[in-house]
């Protein structure tokens, strides 16, 4: 990667390494390991074969078998980005020097080795500071907040009540901070119901939370009930409130054993509880594991479809999108406020709220708007990126890992497929985000919460992914984008219209790669569009001049066919 | 479609529900009773009608619908709503012959089901006589589903209409009863056939019904073969085209009895060529068959450098019955009657698709075509494909190979010419395969032509910029097969066509029959609608020859890479015979049905071929190969999902993209034209079209076009999302993961 070229330092260089490529067979070349990436090159082949991988993408690295009689060692690397790599090389005679594998283990898992992540070393300067992209107050102001019904509360200013929530919280004006404090103790991990988004016209609000600590005895909390009533009252259009519990009802009920649970309709008057049947992080992790088995390295042609079905991956995507659709529908069509929660409110909840927000608010479909959405719904509200991704941690069996964020990006991709002109960004933008979710080059996705990031001084000591992205926006622009200010998108969630994201999940398979990279084509299209638009403008100007000079009457003329239009793209 | 109440309110409340008694309806309906009749086409005759009939809305489970009159004519079944249409929806894509919404050409009816006492039964001849059902469900070949309730109308009317429809749609009939023979549609400028042909010539669709067409085609591809005109009056065979082209080395034509003649399809610039053949006639002596095969192969080998590869398609591909069976299974997934069905089947969608095997058949055909292409392009050997009749899978494979190899066939006119060459002139038995006459004999029905269009669609979606035509064009073409007006799809062979067309038609008193070919698109669509046939992303050759106004596009884009070979001149007859034995050693021929010289499986070598092609920079005017891996072969969404409201994407779908592009590009063209016109003549009233003309297409103004556009119209449907029902029951996660706590740290304790 060029942007790191000046910074990362070569730690190990081994010649005569064989990369066992599952697609083209063994390739001999040289393997370089730096403190940031792994780099394999073979110059004997035509075309030159290269492999470049940030070490952050490694989930697991291990030697396979013992050294053979010929002194070859073999090791396999399992990556977070849907591929596995295998290298074979001669064991070094000189045992004093560290082997490439040891170097790899050291820098791939710095956290396990008490070292800091590469993001803290990376000092590239970009024209824009991406850490400034999200200013919570500015974002809420865009939504028209605070207003007569909603106020900002400073109760969590120093993260003392909830360490996984942001400092700035929007709550109904009728609820005092004192009452809020009591709600903190009633909601799991102190994640109380706070506003996420408000409809500019109907004032219907999207509110997020964690599960109420109802328990087996059906505990109640007057303040929590009052808070939800206040949320409902803040919206004059509806006398109802919908509570969306992302979990399957069985799981929600099972949570009562552990002190959690869900809102009873007795305690919460006028509230309707809906379960969205989305499964937990473990099910999702397993589903992705199966998917990887099906797509990497080879696809079994004759059973491709049933194999894909057996992973349930697209079915989970469908359930998440369907859930978000129901939320968006209640807010838009029903003009009703909604509360969304799962167990802790940091996995399924941000999936649902951020997808619903993308459907409801066209701002979040712009490049910067999407960045704000991620910063707000995922980062500031404490999606546990460190735990879910396991940055620099060698413990690949950690049950806290789960592809929740990937799943969300997949859902966004599904929407971009269904609405090709509604998003300002292209597919390459989404893939770039995912690649840097793992790369540990940027500080954006480090740590578990806003509080932790501040403690670690992440914004000060690392570069934001948005600095990089916003310095070369043209790479990420969808040329077909049309901006419609208040345009709600309701995607179709039937499996028939969902597709496997081949260009992400199967991108390592050279046969599935398009002949020209998609973003390349996008760029060409973009240039084409600019050219065409310039031409249109010129011609229009000219035409206007002529019309002005010659007396023009605009008689309704018969519409004749135009000749087929073609481009020379 | 919901019938909207009067007034502008977007009420989703239906005007009528089925539990209203017929008496009430009568009372309500009586005063303004005004007979409505369909606008009949010239030559169209109304058989029977019934009123009131309730047409169920497809949108939801409820028994809502619209009352109206159901008609059956000699062309179609049509339903006319009692309600006055709310507004004239300006349809940009209107079929002039039949409206997509409520018209069903008789030929388009696939199956009729009757609901008797809550039980659904397939209507066959026997059932028609007894009782009429309370509800009639019509499944169409273009995958629309109609549901009519017959209980509100008078018993005799209901009986009549049901029996009428069942009779005309299901009973075996003679070709003369097909509407084309009554249709007196006059193509706007007049019925003069030669004039029509002149028009077509200008449009450059080559009909391949004259020696000149074939000579031109040979010239274009620099083929060195022999044009056969001896079959002009079908003396050789009635199963052979009127004119065709064979290898120079073929001697006595008449010894073939019209079977086993290698027929030229296309020549590669290197000189090697693709031939297809039916099996030689089977005689008592086995030796004859062998000998015939050898002569056939030798003749083909002679075409270029004594090399040939042969392939028996009936051995390596599914037969036409397999194809029919697979498609029958496949199409069921799209004939959706209500939402519940839809969401139930959605869960098992992928495995259902797989079990039908349809996508796999598509893959196999493409794979076979790539193998043929590899022989021609990489090995420069002649290829002979064979099959029992030589007019089914031979047509599929040879057409596909030509599309992959020759960019001319990726233009709209080129594609139409290809269909003419390989399918229409090439004697594909459209009448039998499409079962236009509802023959009982199931053996010969098979959607072979549709299979070909499916394969082309795969290529189009993988390499869109290489094709001048759009997927909409392919969809419309696949529908047109079932419109009983076009001579293109009505006959079994050139001989059949000629025989019927020449004969005095008893119904049309005016002498020879003149039905249009399907390529005369103006019969179905106005020119504005025809714009949807063109792919706005087509990357035209940078140097376009505007000046060239030849009827044929002589652009075989690559130059001959090899000097003309020694075998360009015809060989003496004797020479070949004498040399046969030694030649055989030279020839790289083995048995029929075996690809030569490849010890590996064909899949493995084509894989290599594909990969080496993929490494080269993309050239949309060169060789084009499909990716055949599992995820790359897809369902033709536009064709199969266009009538299913559950999958409409309002404001989305590929239409959002194409309309955007079309809008932009046509703006430029319009402006250019306006300027040109102003430049050339300052005449005041020239065709000044305002820039907003294309607004109708634009995403901006209509904004709510659905993904099914331009086919189904979601007319002012209330803008509501479609929320799946009953999600949970299906997704059963059986392992213990599902019940695990989200916060894993409480379960596992790692550092």
């Amino acid at each position: 990667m060029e942007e790191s070229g000046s910074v990362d330092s070569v730690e190990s260089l081994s010649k005569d390494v064989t990369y066992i490529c599952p697609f083209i067979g063994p390739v001999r070349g040289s393997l370089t390991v730096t403190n940031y990436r792994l780099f394999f090159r073979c110059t004997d082949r035509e075309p030159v074969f290269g492999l470049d991988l940030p070490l952050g993408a490694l989930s697991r690295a291990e030697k396979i078998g013992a050294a053979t009689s010929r002194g070859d060692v073999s090791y396999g690397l399992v990556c977070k980005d849907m591929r596995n790599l295998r290298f074979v090389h001669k064991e070094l005679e000189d045992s004093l020097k560290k082997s490439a594998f040891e170097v790899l283990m050291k820098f791939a898992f710095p956290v396990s080795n008490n070292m800091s992540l590469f993001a803290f070393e990376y000092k590239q300067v970009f024209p824009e500071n991406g850490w400034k992209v999200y200013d919570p107050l500015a974002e809420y102001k865009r939504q028209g907040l605070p207003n007569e019904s909603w106020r900002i509360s400073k109760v969590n200013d120093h993260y003392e009540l909830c360490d996984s929530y942001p400092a700035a919280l929007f709550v109904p004006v009728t609820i005092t901070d004192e009452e809020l404090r009591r709600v903190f103790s009633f909601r799991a991990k102190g994640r109380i119901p706070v506003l996420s988004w408000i409809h500019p016209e109907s004032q219907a609000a999207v509110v997020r939370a964690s599960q109420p600590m109802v328990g087996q005895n059906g505990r109640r909390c007057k303040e929590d009930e009052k808070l939800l009533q206040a949320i409902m009252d803040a919206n004059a259009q509806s006398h109802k409130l919908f509570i969306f519990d992302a979990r399957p009802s069985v799981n929600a009920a099972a949570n009562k054993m552990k002190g959690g649970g869900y809102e009873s309709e007795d305690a919460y008057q006028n509230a309707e509880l809906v379960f969205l049947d989305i499964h937990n992080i473990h099910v999702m992790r397993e589903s992705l594991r199966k998917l990887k088995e099906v797509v990497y390295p080879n696809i079994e042609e004759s059973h491709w479809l049933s194999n894909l079905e057996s992973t349930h991956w697209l079915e989970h995507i469908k359930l998440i999108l369907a859930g978000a659709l129901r939320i968006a529908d209640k807010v838009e069509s029903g003009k009703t406020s909604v509360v969304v929660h799962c167990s802790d409110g940091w996995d399924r909840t941000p999936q649902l709220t951020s997808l619903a927000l993308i459907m409801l608010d066209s701002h979040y479909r712009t490049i910067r708007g999407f960045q704000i959405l991620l910063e707000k719904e995922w980062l500031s509200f404490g999606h546990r990126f460190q735990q879910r991704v396991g940055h620099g941690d060698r413990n690949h069996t950690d049950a806290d890992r789960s592809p929740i964020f990937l799943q969300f990006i997949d859902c966004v991709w599904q929407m971009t497929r269904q609405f090709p002109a509604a998003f300002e960004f292209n597919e390459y933008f989404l893939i770039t985000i995912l690649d840097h979710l793992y790369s540990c080059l940027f500080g954006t996705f480090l740590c578990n919460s806003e509080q932790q990031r501040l403690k670690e001084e992440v914004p000060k000591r690392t570069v934001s992914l948005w600095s990089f992205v916003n310095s070369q926006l043209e790479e990420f622009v969808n040329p077909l984008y049309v901006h419609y200010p208040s345009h709600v998108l309701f995607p179709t969630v039937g499996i028939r219209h969902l597709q496997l994201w081949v260009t992400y999940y199967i991108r390592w398979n050279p046969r599935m790669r398009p002949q020209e990279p998609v973003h390349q084509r996008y760029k060409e299209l973009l240039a084409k569009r600019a050219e065409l638009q310039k031409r249109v403008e010129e011609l229009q100007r000219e035409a206007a001049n002529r019309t002005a000079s010659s007396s023009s009457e605009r008689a309704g003329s018969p519409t004749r066919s135009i000749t087929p239009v073609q481009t020379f793209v | 479609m919901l019938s909207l109440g009067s007034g502008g309110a977007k009420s989703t409340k239906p005007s009528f529900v089925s539990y209203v008694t017929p008496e009430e309806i009568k009372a309500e309906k009586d005063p303004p009773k005004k007979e409505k009749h369909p606008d009949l086409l010239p030559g169209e005759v109304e058989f029977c009608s019934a009123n009131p009939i309730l047409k169920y809305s497809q949108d939801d489970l409820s028994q809502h619908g619209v009352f109206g009159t159901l008609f059956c004519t000699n062309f179609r079944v049509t339903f006319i709503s009692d309600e006055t249409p709310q507004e004239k929806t300006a349809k940009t894509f209107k079929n002039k012959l039949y409206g997509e919404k409520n018209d069903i050409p008789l030929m388009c009816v696939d199956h009729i089901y009757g609901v008797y006492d809550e039980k659904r039964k397939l209507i066959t001849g026997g059932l028609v006589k007894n009782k009429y059902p309370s509800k009639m469900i019509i499944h169409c070949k273009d995958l629309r589903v109609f549901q009519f309730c017959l209980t509100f109308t008078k018993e005799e009317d209901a009986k009549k209409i049901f029996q009428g429809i069942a009779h005309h749609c299901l009973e075996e009939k003679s070709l003369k009863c097909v509407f084309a023979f009554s249709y007196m549609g006059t193509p706007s400028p007049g019925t003069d056939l030669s004039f029509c042909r002149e028009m077509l010539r200008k449009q450059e669709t080559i009909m391949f019904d004259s020696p000149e067409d074939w000579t031109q085609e040979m010239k274009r591809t620099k083929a060195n073969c022999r044009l056969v005109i001896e079959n002009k009056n079908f003396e050789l065979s009635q199963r052979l085209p009127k004119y065709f082209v064979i290898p120079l080395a073929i001697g006595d034509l008449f010894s073939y009895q019209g079977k086993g003649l290698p027929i030229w399809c296309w020549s590669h610039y290197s000189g090697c060529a693709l031939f297809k053949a039916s099996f030689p006639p089977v005689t008592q002596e086995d030796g004859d068959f062998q000998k015939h095969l050898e002569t056939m192969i030798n003749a083909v080998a002679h075409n270029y450098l004594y090399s040939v590869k042969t392939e028996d398609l009936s051995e390596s591909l599914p037969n036409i019955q397999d194809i029919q069976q697979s498609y029958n299974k496949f199409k069921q997934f799209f004939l959706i009657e209500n939402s519940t069905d839809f969401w139930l089947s959605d869960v098992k969608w992928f495995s259902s698709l797989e079990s039908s095997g349809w996508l796999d058949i598509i893959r196999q055909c493409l794979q076979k075509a790539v193998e043929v292409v590899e022989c021609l392009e990489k090995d420069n050997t002649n290829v002979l494909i064979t099959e029992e009749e030589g007019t089914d899978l031979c047509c599929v494979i040879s057409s596909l190979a030509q599309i992959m190899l020759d960019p001319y066939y990726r233009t709209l006119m080129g594609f139409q010419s290809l269909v003419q060459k390989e399918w229409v002139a090439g004697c594909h038995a459209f009448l039998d395969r499409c079962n236009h006459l509802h023959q009982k004999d199931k053996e010969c029905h098979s959607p072979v032509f549709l299979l070909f269009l499916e394969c082309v669609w795969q290529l189009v979606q993988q390499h869109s910029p290489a094709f001048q035509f759009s997927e909409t064009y392919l969809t419309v073409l696949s529908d047109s097969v079932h419109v009983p007006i076009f001579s293109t799809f009505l006959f079994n062979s050139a001989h059949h066509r000629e025989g019927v067309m020449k004969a005095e038609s008893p119904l049309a008193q005016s002498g020879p029959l003149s039905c249009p070919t399907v390529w005369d698109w103006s019969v179905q669509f106005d020119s504005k609608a025809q714009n949807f046939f063109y792919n706005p992303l087509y990357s035209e050759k940078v140097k376009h020859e505007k000046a060239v106004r030849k009827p044929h596009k002589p652009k075989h884009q690559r130059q001959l890479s090899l000097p003309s070979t020694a075998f360009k001149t015809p060989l003496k007859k004797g020479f070949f015979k004498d040399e046969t034995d030694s030649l055989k050693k030279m020839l790289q021929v083995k048995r029929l049905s075996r690809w030569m010289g490849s010890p590996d499986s064909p899949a493995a070598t084509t894989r290599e071929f594909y990969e080496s092609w993929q490494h080269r920079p993309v050239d949309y005017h060169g060789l084009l190969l499909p990716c055949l891996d599992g995820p790359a072969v897809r369902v033709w969404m536009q064709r199969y999902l266009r009538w299913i409201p559950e999958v409409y994407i309002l404001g989305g779908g590929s239409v959002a993209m194409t309309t955007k592009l079309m809008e932009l590009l046509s703006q430029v063209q319009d402006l250019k034209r306006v300027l040109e016109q102003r430049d050339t003549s300052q005449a005041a009233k020239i065709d000044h079209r305002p820039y907003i003309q294309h607004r109708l297409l634009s995403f901006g103004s209509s904004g709510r076009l659905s993904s099914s556009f331009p086919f189904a119209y979601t007319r002012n449907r209330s803008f509501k999302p479609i929320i799946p029902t009953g999600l949970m029951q299906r997704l059963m996660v059986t392992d213990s993961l599902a019940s695990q706590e989200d916060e894993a740290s409480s379960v596992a304790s790692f550092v």
Side-chain angles (χ1 to χ4, degrees), chain A residues 251 255 277 280 282 306 309 318 348 418 480 484 492 495-496 510-511 513 516 539 546 557 566-567, chain B residues 345-346 351 354 538 540 614 620 629 637 648 653 657 675 679 688 699-700 728 737-738 740-742:
Chain A
N251 298 38
N255 261 291
D277 301 333
N280 65 25
H282 312 292
S306 50
E309 187 173 279
K318 169 181 166 176
R348 287 166 274 198
Q418 295 193 11
L480 300 168
Y484 300 112
T492 292
I495 292 261
R496 289 167 174 84
R511 295 171 54 74
R513 211 172 291 155
E516 39 181 1
L539 290 168
R546 280 159 198 271
S557 53
Q566 276 117 24
T567 52
Chain B
S345 56
D346 201 49
S351 46
E354 187 176 289
Y538 178 51
E540 208 172 3
Q614 201 194 16
Y620 290 122
D629 288 60
M637 303 284 245
Y648 289 172
M657 190 166 75
L675 284 179
D679 279 342
H688 180 142
F699 187 63
M728 185 45 195
L737 287 176
Q740 241 178 66
E741 260 294 275
D742 241 4

Side-chain angles (χ1 to χ4, degrees), chain A residues 189 248 251 255 258 277 279-283 285-286 299 301-306 308-309 312 314-316 318-319 322 325-326 329 333 343-344 346-348 387-388 395 397-400 418-421 479-482 484 487-488 490 492-499 502 506 509-513 515-516 521 525 529 532-533 535-536 539-540 542-543 546 550 553 555 557-569, chain B residues 333 336 342-343 345-351 353-354 359 363 465 468 527-528 531 534-541 607 610-611 613-614 616 618 620 627-632 634 637 641 646-653 656-657 660-661 664-673 675 678-679 685 687-691 693-694 699-700 703-704 707 719-724 727-728 731 733 737-738 740-745 750:
Chain A
K189 309 284 195 296
N251 298 38
N255 261 291
K258 292 155 192 151
D277 301 333
H279 280 282
N280 65 25
I281 62 167
H282 312 292
V283 174
R285 180 180 60 236
E286 182 60 14
I299 301 158
E301 230 154 69
S302 49
H303 296 295
W304 157 246
L305 290 169
S306 50
L308 178 63
E309 187 173 279
H312 296 299
L314 285 174
E315 215 166 328
H316 293 308
K318 169 181 166 176
L319 281 164
L325 186 66
R326 294 175 74 165
D329 177 44
S333 320
S343 296
D344 292 317
W346 53 43
D347 292 312
R348 287 166 274 198
Q387 276 195 352
R388 297 291 175 254
N395 182 16
T397 55
D398 189 344
D400 272 332
Q418 295 193 11
F419 302 96
L480 300 168
Y481 175 62
V482 190
Y484 300 112
H487 188 88
V488 180
F490 288 140
T492 292
V493 300
I495 292 261
R496 289 167 174 84
H497 256 317
L498 300 183
Q499 286 178 28
V502 170
I506 322 187
N509 185 333
R511 295 171 54 74
M512 292 308 297
R513 211 172 291 155
Q515 259 190 321
E516 39 181 1
R521 179 118 189 98
L525 257 173
R529 186 183 74 155
L532 279 173
Q533 267 179 344
R535 267 164 72 191
V536 170
L539 290 168
Q540 245 160 359
E542 230 174 294
R546 280 159 198 271
S550 65
E553 84 269 35
S557 53
T559 48
R560 226 184 49 199
S561 79
I562 50 157
T563 46
V565 283
Q566 276 117 24
T567 52
F568 309 106
V569 180
Chain B
F333 308 137
I336 306 273
F342 176 86
W343 292 112
S345 56
D346 201 49
V347 182
K348 286 277 158 219
W349 169 242
F350 288 116
S351 46
L353 271 188
E354 187 176 289
L359 291 179
R363 180 182 295 117
Q468 192 189 23
S527 46
K528 207 170 159 200
N531 284 335
Y534 291 90
N535 170 17
L537 280 179
Y538 178 51
S539 79
E540 208 172 3
K541 279 209 96 176
R607 179 166 290 214
Y610 174 79
E611 275 165 11
W613 170 79
Q614 201 194 16
R616 295 204 295 266
V618 60
Y620 290 122
C627 177
L628 298 175
D629 288 60
R634 298 224 167 104
M637 303 284 245
L641 297 184
E646 280 78 7
V647 289
Y648 289 172
I649 311 169
L650 273 117
M657 190 166 75
K660 178 95 204 312
L661 282 164
L664 198 66
L665 294 164
S666 60
Q667 273 178 357
V668 173
Q669 291 221 338
D670 274 8
L671 285 162
K672 266 161 84 181
R673 186 166 306 129
L675 284 179
R678 284 182 182 267
D679 279 342
K685 279 195 183 174
D687 180 24
H688 180 142
R689 280 174 296 143
Y691 318 131
Q693 187 210 327
H694 295 279
F699 187 63
R704 297 293 192 215
S707 57
F719 185 52
K720 287 272 284 176
I722 298 131
I723 292 170
L727 279 170
M728 185 45 195
L731 183 60
V733 178
L737 287 176
Q740 241 178 66
E741 260 294 275
D742 241 4
E743 201 42 43
S745 35
F750 295 107

